[in-house]
Amino acid sequence: MAASAAVFFAIFVFSMESSITNSHTRPVKGRFAPSPTGRMHLGNVAAALLSWLSAKSAGGSWLLRIEDLDPQRSKVEHARLVEDDLAWLGLEWDEGGLDDIGSNAPYSQSRRHDIYAQFLERLNDTGYTYPCRCTRAEIMATQAPHQSDGRVVYGGRCRPAVLPCSQADFTGAATRIYVPDEVISYRDGLYGDMHFNLAREVGDFVLRRADGAWAYQLAVVVDDALMGVTEVVRGSDLLLSAAQQIYLYRLLGLEPPCFAHVPLLCSDGGRRLSKRDRSLDMQSLRARFSAPELIGRVAAMLGLIPEYSPATPAALVEGFSWAKIKPELTLEVNPDLF
């Protein structure tokens, strides 16, 4: 790697305050950004509730963004169900949604193509992006799974011999961004100090797929920055993604939000909940519980209240504290509550 590349990509330790909401001078703004690929489940409800409470307890606002990057799986009717479920729960948003409330519209990622293209061009201009024509089969054949989740580290098969490079032809290819062999660190609001070496744990990653679809990492960075999001609350499966996103924030000269990653809800067999778990999706939950009953059960399960009692999100704001949440990667759904 040329010396200029090493200098350009020198990554210094990036630390944030231990509280999710106290490191920004900007007005606090949280967000919930569901993918409309099916009905919300209990895990989505828990993440939305924590995000809403964190923002509101700091006197901030809450944004709803529709992350419909996947055209095959995303449906407008699912997005409308998300909005209906959130409103039923009492988790009202101040900005965003399908009606594009606010000054940062559009709030659906499928309508933000031109915005992402501008920021990708900025990254292309550095010379540290490159076209990748590897198939998934080729990548899988050359690398062993990194962890038990099957994640594979990209080995740089298509990376140019010399970086930065110029005049690359991206026609019919994915766009990857080079990552250096350096540690990126940040302080998570729940798990504390996190350290990731992207070169060893993920490799050069995709910003845009060969079919033209935008990668999550680029889209979420651009959207959170432009929409003024100061704190991101989401599942613990995205701890590594935060490091990738911080890397892009730094390359683009944008201010990152604070992060708090919350335990993933699992069934009694230890299996992560998904939208296929119909017994714990919102259709089933709304049939079994009133909104205060459901909010109270979620709050008790998370440790926000000492024992179950019906509650509303607004009633939980005053007593909310991240210190009440145990920093576990997964949390088994309590069968006594659900």
Side-chain angles (χ1 to χ4, degrees):
M1 185 60 59
S4 61
V7 171
F8 185 87
F9 279 101
I11 301 296
F12 301 98
V13 171
F14 185 93
S15 63
M16 290 185 285
E17 300 295 330
S18 58
S19 169
I20 188 174
T21 57
N22 67 0
S23 65
H24 288 273
T25 57
R26 296 179 291 168
V28 172
K29 183 186 288 187
R31 55 85 157 164
F32 183 56
S35 298
T37 57
R39 197 73 181 263
M40 285 202 305
H41 58 66
L42 187 63
N44 304 133
V45 174
L49 177 63
L50 288 172
S51 175
W52 191 91
L53 289 174
S54 180
K56 294 299 181 179
S57 65
S61 60
W62 198 59
L63 178 150
L64 174 62
R65 184 170 68 236
I66 306 300
E67 297 199 337
D68 54 350
L69 287 175
D70 187 336
Q72 280 75 43
R73 300 177 61 219
S74 299
K75 299 183 183 299
V76 173
E77 52 266 35
H78 291 155
R80 296 194 186 282
L81 284 172
V82 168
E83 292 193 339
D84 185 69
D85 287 336
L86 291 174
W88 180 81
L89 289 164
L91 297 173
E92 299 286 350
W93 53 98
D94 304 290
E95 181 181 347
L98 292 172
D99 291 335
D100 284 338
I101 300 168
S103 59
N104 296 298
Y107 292 93
S108 297
Q109 289 185 328
S110 60
R111 295 184 287 135
R112 296 176 64 81
H113 168 90
D114 291 344
I115 298 172
Y116 304 144
Q118 293 173 19
F119 281 85
L120 180 61
E121 188 63 28
R122 285 172 57 177
L123 292 172
N124 287 343
D125 287 343
T126 69
Y128 291 91
T129 62
Y130 61 88
C132 176
R133 293 180 171 82
C134 294
T135 66
R136 179 169 179 79
E138 289 170 335
I139 296 171
M140 294 294 289
T142 58
Q143 290 288 308
H146 182 273
Q147 291 182 343
S148 59
D149 61 5
R151 176 163 43 88
V152 172
V153 178
Y154 181 68
R157 186 172 183 266
C158 287
R159 183 193 300 154
V162 177
L163 287 172
C165 63
S166 61
Q167 299 179 340
D169 180 10
F170 290 91
T171 305
T175 302
R176 285 190 186 270
I177 182 80
Y178 162 76
V179 298
D181 187 13
E182 302 284 348
V183 172
I184 292 180
S185 299
Y186 67 94
R187 176 159 293 183
D188 187 77
L190 190 61
Y191 295 99
D193 291 333
M194 305 301 300
H195 311 281
F196 295 99
N197 184 310
L198 295 182
R200 300 178 186 178
E201 299 193 57
V202 68
D204 302 348
F205 57 91
V206 171
L207 301 177
R208 192 178 189 186
R209 295 187 339 208
D211 62 3
W214 296 101
Y216 169 78
Q217 307 298 359
L218 177 63
V220 74
V221 164
V222 170
D223 289 345
D224 283 342
L226 295 185
M227 294 177 184
V229 172
T230 64
E231 59 175 58
V232 171
V233 177
R234 59 191 182 188
S236 61
D237 57 327
L238 293 174
L239 282 162
L240 173 59
S241 284
Q244 293 174 268
Q245 290 157 25
I246 288 169
Y247 177 61
L248 292 180
Y249 277 110
R250 294 174 75 83
L251 295 183
L252 290 168
L254 301 172
E255 184 176 1
C258 296
F259 294 93
H261 293 83
V262 300
L264 298 178
L265 296 191
C266 295
S267 65
D268 55 6
R271 181 173 53 84
R272 174 183 168 183
L273 295 187
S274 72
K275 290 173 181 176
R276 294 185 295 272
D277 290 290
R278 297 300 174 86
S279 64
L280 291 174
D281 74 6
M282 282 301 293
Q283 181 175 354
S284 174
L285 293 170
R286 287 180 67 162
R288 294 160 58 197
F289 307 116
S290 67
E293 287 172 339
L294 180 54
I295 290 293
R297 290 170 191 275
V298 172
M301 180 181 63
L302 294 172
L304 296 176
I305 54 178
E307 59 184 20
Y308 163 70
S309 62
T312 64
L316 296 172
V317 170
E318 185 175 352
F320 175 76
S321 170
W322 280 104
K324 295 179 178 180
I325 311 297
K326 294 181 179 179
E328 302 169 335
L329 288 176
T330 59
L331 180 64
E332 190 171 300
V333 174
N334 187 335
D336 293 333
L337 291 171
F338 298 97

